[in-house]
Amino acid sequence: MTAATDLIDSNLFPELRKDLLSWFHKNKRDLPFRINKNAYRIWVSEIMLQQTRVNAMLPIYEAFLRRFPEPKALQEAGEEEVMKYWKGLGYYSRARNLKKGAELIVEKHRGSFPQNYEEALSIPGVGSYTAAAVLSIAYGKRHAVLDGNVKRVLSRLFLITSDPGLSSTNQFLANLAQEFLTSESPGDHNEAMMELGALVCVPAPNCTACPLEKRCAARIAGKEKEIPAPKSVENWIDLDLNFLYLKSEEELLLVKDPKRRFFKTIYSLPFRLEGKHPYESDEWIEELFEDDRIVTNAIHARHSITNHKIRLKFSELETKNRKKVEAVLRKRKDVEFKWVRESELKEEFPSSISGKLSKLRNKNKKHPELPVGKS
């Protein structure tokens, strides 16, 4: 690892901490999960923010907590209802883990998020970052957080020139974050580091607004735009998802299959994976798409899930033989299905994709429709 460890003088830490916390108390955003130090509310916010921007997450967060104000309410709710309140955030395994975590908290920790670090890590979906964030902010425990924002701040502040994605660099930064963490108010310190990285020490840094500018080693060396070292995104998979609006008796078919690649825990429109991809096709999906009356719309939208660059498409089919469709689905015992009115689609298919598909359908009614397989 190439790191200027000789430039890291721990004697500078007290002044840096003071300037950081002073800036934070004057400039921190007024966010609902900062209103109090409730561990449950903080835990929910941290899980929601893992793959979502603050502005997009806030209205969903507030509605979620109105419905599930404490772990017991989340424990007692059905999974499908939890998914509905998660709608718009994507990455639905997070919601499933939250529910499992709430069950564990109620059953083993008397309804309170545990204060012990190892016990916190035993909660589904809680890793080192989330455990450190909740324990430090809610309980004042001295555990340093290390997310992308904090890595960027530390790398620039102390001129760490190696790729933070490397395990050796990551461990170095974790040790540095723990050493730099103040004992007096670890929660505020952690929030300040994350806030600085989110508002000022962004990928294209606004150094003149930074309280640590004069002591930032990267800024002094003129390398603030080069650090942290860029990482290349590899192994992206291009994929077409063709969703089927299969209508019968004025209702649309929704399916749930725990063995499919996407949407394992929620109902969705049936979809087929198309293009060059490494996944096997589902026979029952292919059987649904075999009907030569299906039409595929020519327009599409972009989406991304983890390392997948997705092109969203949709096809349409109306059938009077609902029993034939259901017979295909019943061949797979683990596939669940139901019929819903189209007006209920966004609620029943709780994903941002359902909204994008609806926009596609309404976007250009005059666009020519193509037979399946002819696009």
Side-chain angles (χ1 to χ4, degrees):
M1 179 183 67
T2 306
T5 53
D6 56 321
L7 297 180
I8 299 178
D9 182 359
S10 60
N11 292 323
L12 298 175
F13 287 0
E15 193 67 27
L16 289 171
R17 293 169 182 149
K18 179 181 176 181
D19 291 344
L20 174 69
L21 289 172
S22 176
W23 172 86
F24 176 66
H25 292 143
K26 293 177 182 177
N27 296 278
K28 65 179 179 180
R29 289 169 290 181
D30 185 17
L31 300 172
F33 43 85
R34 288 177 174 162
I35 293 175
N36 55 47
K37 301 296 184 181
N38 181 281
Y40 170 71
R41 295 173 62 90
I42 295 168
W43 170 47
V44 172
S45 74
E46 291 297 341
I47 298 300
M48 286 188 171
L49 286 169
Q50 284 176 2
Q51 302 287 347
T52 311
R53 293 185 180 277
V54 172
N55 289 340
M57 162 270 207
L58 286 178
I60 300 172
Y61 171 78
E62 292 176 323
F64 190 93
L65 286 180
R66 282 194 297 270
R67 173 59 186 88
F68 312 112
E70 35 81 27
K72 188 168 181 58
L74 186 55
Q75 177 214 25
E76 293 176 344
E79 182 177 297
E80 191 170 341
E81 184 185 12
V82 175
M83 294 302 174
K84 289 180 182 179
Y85 278 86
W86 194 265
K87 178 184 175 183
L89 293 175
Y91 300 92
Y92 288 90
S93 61
R94 293 181 297 166
R96 185 171 57 178
N97 281 332
L98 262 181
K99 178 167 171 52
K100 289 180 179 178
E103 293 168 355
L104 182 65
I105 287 171
V106 170
E107 293 168 2
K108 294 189 176 182
H109 301 288
R110 299 181 179 180
S112 297
F113 194 96
Q115 298 190 35
N116 177 274
Y117 184 76
E118 296 302 325
E119 290 180 342
L121 288 178
S122 71
I123 296 174
V126 172
S128 58
Y129 162 77
T130 303
V134 176
L135 297 188
S136 64
I137 298 170
Y139 302 130
K141 302 292 184 180
R142 196 174 183 276
H143 298 288
V145 300
L146 190 68
D147 67 354
N149 287 329
V150 175
K151 288 180 182 181
R152 187 165 56 250
V153 172
L154 289 173
S155 293
R156 287 172 174 162
L157 184 59
F158 298 109
L159 198 64
I160 311 302
T161 58
S162 56
D163 180 2
L166 297 174
S167 58
S168 55
T169 310
N170 187 74
Q171 186 59 57
F172 180 87
L173 290 171
N175 294 339
L176 178 58
Q178 189 63 35
E179 185 179 354
F180 184 45
L181 182 66
T182 180
S183 300
E184 290 74 22
S185 52
D188 283 353
H189 179 104
N190 279 332
E191 287 198 272
M193 289 290 285
M194 293 186 285
E195 193 82 334
L196 188 65
L199 300 181
V200 177
C201 195
V202 292
N206 181 13
C207 293
T208 57
C210 181
L212 310 179
E213 178 191 13
K214 294 182 179 179
R215 297 185 182 275
C216 176
R219 176 69 166 169
I220 293 169
K223 295 183 177 181
E224 66 273 16
K225 294 181 181 179
E226 302 172 20
I227 295 175
K231 63 178 182 179
S232 60
V233 180
E234 298 179 350
N235 300 321
W236 279 96
I237 298 172
D238 291 313
L239 184 64
D240 285 0
L241 291 188
N242 189 355
F243 287 84
L244 180 59
Y245 282 78
L246 200 166
K247 182 175 286 188
S248 177
E249 301 173 15
E250 299 303 316
E251 292 182 317
L252 290 174
L253 174 68
L254 295 185
V255 296
K256 181 165 69 170
D257 179 1
K259 294 185 178 180
R260 62 185 176 182
R261 178 66 192 179
F262 305 108
F263 311 116
K264 297 179 179 181
T265 62
I266 65 172
Y267 282 94
S268 76
L269 293 168
F271 62 88
R272 181 167 70 175
L273 280 62
E274 300 178 345
K276 294 181 179 179
H277 60 79
Y279 311 120
E280 293 185 7
S281 299
D282 290 314
E283 290 185 9
W284 64 271
I285 283 289
E286 296 302 320
E287 196 166 343
L288 290 181
F289 273 84
E290 282 179 356
D291 196 307
D292 56 13
R293 295 170 299 159
I294 290 180
V295 290
T296 297
N297 200 289
I299 59 177
H300 62 270
R302 295 291 179 182
H303 193 76
S304 62
I305 302 177
T306 317
N307 64 325
H308 295 80
K309 293 180 180 179
I310 293 172
R311 186 170 71 160
L312 299 179
K313 304 162 62 177
F314 72 90
S315 299
E316 298 178 90
L317 172 66
E318 187 159 355
T319 180
K320 295 181 180 180
N321 195 342
R322 182 181 288 203
K323 290 184 178 180
K324 180 180 179 181
V325 173
E326 294 180 350
V328 171
L329 297 171
R330 289 194 175 99
K331 292 178 181 178
R332 284 278 300 273
K333 293 182 179 179
D334 48 356
V335 174
E336 300 176 46
F337 65 89
K338 62 182 176 180
W339 299 88
V340 302
R341 301 193 68 82
E342 189 163 357
S343 60
E344 301 170 334
L345 180 60
K346 288 186 179 180
E347 181 180 355
E348 297 289 347
F349 177 14
S351 166
S352 59
I353 283 181
S354 66
K356 289 185 178 181
L357 290 171
S358 295
K359 288 181 180 178
L360 277 183
R361 293 189 80 202
N362 297 326
K363 185 176 181 180
N364 188 355
K365 296 294 186 180
K366 293 183 180 181
H367 203 287
E369 294 175 331
L370 302 176
V372 146
K374 302 296 184 181
S375 59

